[in-house]
Amino acid sequence: MSLPKDLELASLSKNYDDNVAVNKINLKLNAGTYCCLLGPSGCGKTSTLRMIAGHELISSGDILIGNDIVNNLPPAKRGTSMMFQSYALFPHLNCLENIAFPLKMKGVKKNVRLKDANKFISLVQMKNYERYYPSQLSGGQQQRIALARSLITQPSILLLDEPLSALDPFLRIKMRSELKQVKNQLGITFIHVTHSQEEALALADMVVVMNNGIIEQVDTPFNIFNKPKNEFVATFVGGHNILINDGKKYAVRMDKIELDMPMKTNNNSCQIKSIEFQGERVKLGCLDQNNQEIFVLVEDTVYNKMNYEIEKYANITWDKSKAHLLQ
């Protein structure tokens, strides 16, 4: 396996005619990082990934892998490998042949490439499926074969374009764990595009939140969730209320707000407008006296003890130390 390499994007841009998809972004990733590019559809994350891979021409700026500027190198010369959202397995090739195919394109002898393919099919826990064809596999099994095929060229950086989006929720959680396990075994750099906040927070060492072609925040998952830089990050990553107090804007986590049923309305009162059961927690939507919408997450045990009902009033409070000032 190749050694992991640092990645740097310097004033990187991508324009499609008059549309600016990526706007002069700067990013440095240390070798061996699991990075998630997170953002809504159309934010520029996939264009960024494809430029790193060499599948999109850059409009301006530089891409450095290790100490080398790779702007004009073809994908096969960059030391990267890309796992596509559709998996793109060849239906007429069995699993072992699919995994070995990139080495066939490099002119590696059949016995050598099949020997390597056997190593990688074991890595992704698909031993005994060597002779199966893609049509005989489940979605999760197809993903494992696509992952092994992406790794057989021994890249320094693996690029993943929404690899879990086609899977059902249960399998998505299972494959999250397996992706992280493979990354830890190999130690190479992973760059993973997703629009799922939960996926990014669960997988990444470093999260890059993008919006309208720019980077809003680069940080650890903990800080992205607990210390969002601005209103967009707080709202998109979720779990926060955006509240105005003394002319300043704060993010306050929904689970850090308390609701007590009052004997009568007062300055801290809000009216409960919605109740949503979410399993171990219940989400209550409230309107305060300034008509400001506030959401509260309470444990199911707390909910069962309190007499919360729609249209009733409750006192709303939170510890000021839990309020995070936004830019």
Side-chain angles (χ1 to χ4, degrees):
M1 186 61 62
S2 296
L3 292 174
K5 291 184 178 179
D6 296 342
L7 173 75
E8 182 175 356
L9 310 180
S11 296
L12 187 67
S13 293
K14 178 63 183 178
N15 303 329
Y16 297 99
D17 297 323
D18 294 331
N19 178 39
V20 180
V22 179
N23 189 6
K24 297 181 180 178
I25 63 171
N26 295 287
L27 177 66
K28 290 184 179 181
L29 293 177
N30 293 330
T33 298
Y34 199 127
C35 170
C36 279
L37 303 182
L38 173 66
S41 297
C43 71
K45 57 188 186 295
T46 297
S47 293
T48 300
L49 194 78
R50 289 178 61 83
M51 283 191 285
I52 297 168
H55 298 309
E56 290 278 0
L57 294 175
I58 69 173
S59 299
S60 63
D62 290 311
I63 299 171
L64 289 86
I65 296 177
N67 296 318
D68 301 318
I69 296 175
V70 300
N71 298 8
N72 299 316
L73 291 181
K77 299 291 186 182
R78 295 189 177 206
T80 63
S81 183
M82 189 157 178
M83 180 176 165
F84 295 96
Q85 184 177 359
S86 64
Y87 308 149
L89 298 176
F90 297 110
H92 62 288
L93 299 181
N94 64 35
C95 288
L96 205 63
E97 292 166 338
N98 260 291
I99 294 169
F101 186 79
L103 297 185
K104 182 179 180 180
M105 297 301 293
K106 289 176 175 285
V108 177
K109 291 181 180 180
K110 185 175 182 179
N111 64 323
V112 176
R113 66 178 185 257
L114 291 180
K115 183 179 179 182
D116 281 357
N118 267 302
K119 294 177 185 176
F120 282 92
I121 204 169
S122 296
L123 177 69
V124 297
Q125 302 174 38
M126 286 291 287
K127 199 69 178 166
N128 301 323
Y129 286 86
E130 292 92 340
R131 303 304 170 195
Y132 282 64
Y133 289 85
S135 62
Q136 298 173 297
L137 304 178
S138 69
Q141 290 169 334
Q142 289 183 36
Q143 191 213 43
R144 290 186 181 97
I145 297 302
L147 178 60
R149 186 181 61 183
S150 300
L151 293 169
I152 199 169
T153 57
Q154 302 190 39
S156 298
I157 299 175
L158 180 65
L159 307 167
L160 304 103
D161 185 12
E162 302 205 35
L164 308 181
S165 62
L167 304 179
D168 65 69
F170 176 80
L171 189 54
R172 198 176 302 144
I173 293 171
K174 187 176 190 304
M175 292 309 300
R176 263 189 349 220
S177 174
E178 293 190 11
L179 272 178
K180 192 128 187 183
Q181 184 179 356
V182 169
K183 185 266 173 191
N184 290 337
Q185 279 183 262
L186 300 178
I188 64 174
T189 305
F190 275 39
I191 304 177
H192 176 138
V193 160
T194 182
H195 59 266
S196 167
Q197 301 89 329
E198 181 183 348
E199 192 172 297
L201 296 177
L203 280 168
D205 307 315
M206 193 63 61
V207 178
V208 178
V209 183
M210 296 187 68
N211 180 38
N212 290 330
I214 66 168
I215 292 175
E216 298 279 3
Q217 186 170 354
V218 180
D219 221 322
T220 62
F222 180 88
N223 285 342
I224 289 289
F225 187 75
N226 288 286
K227 299 177 181 179
K229 182 178 178 181
N230 55 35
E231 183 175 359
F232 174 81
V233 178
T235 302
F236 184 77
V237 174
H240 289 85
N241 291 288
I242 310 300
L243 304 176
I244 307 267
N245 188 25
D246 296 329
K248 296 179 180 179
K249 190 173 289 187
Y250 294 87
V252 183
R253 277 174 40 179
M254 297 180 194
D255 60 335
K256 300 302 182 184
I257 295 178
E258 296 182 2
L259 282 181
D260 292 317
M261 303 306 294
M263 297 299 294
K264 57 183 180 179
T265 60
N266 56 48
N267 291 337
N268 292 326
S269 293
C270 66
Q271 190 174 28
I272 299 171
K273 290 294 184 180
S274 65
I275 298 174
E276 183 180 275
F277 179 68
Q278 296 185 343
E280 60 189 27
R281 289 184 174 181
V282 180
K283 182 178 178 181
L284 295 96
C286 309
L287 281 180
D288 70 8
Q289 294 187 359
N290 296 317
N291 215 31
Q292 187 171 221
E293 194 172 37
I294 300 173
F295 291 98
V296 185
L297 280 178
V298 299
E299 300 289 339
D300 59 344
T301 53
V302 173
Y303 177 80
N304 291 332
K305 291 177 182 177
M306 303 297 288
N307 190 26
Y308 297 126
E309 291 180 17
I310 290 177
E311 302 301 331
K312 280 197 169 185
Y313 284 85
N315 285 343
I316 190 164
T317 58
W318 64 87
D319 184 341
K320 290 184 179 180
S321 67
K322 304 298 183 184
H324 174 69
L325 183 64
L326 301 173
Q327 289 185 7

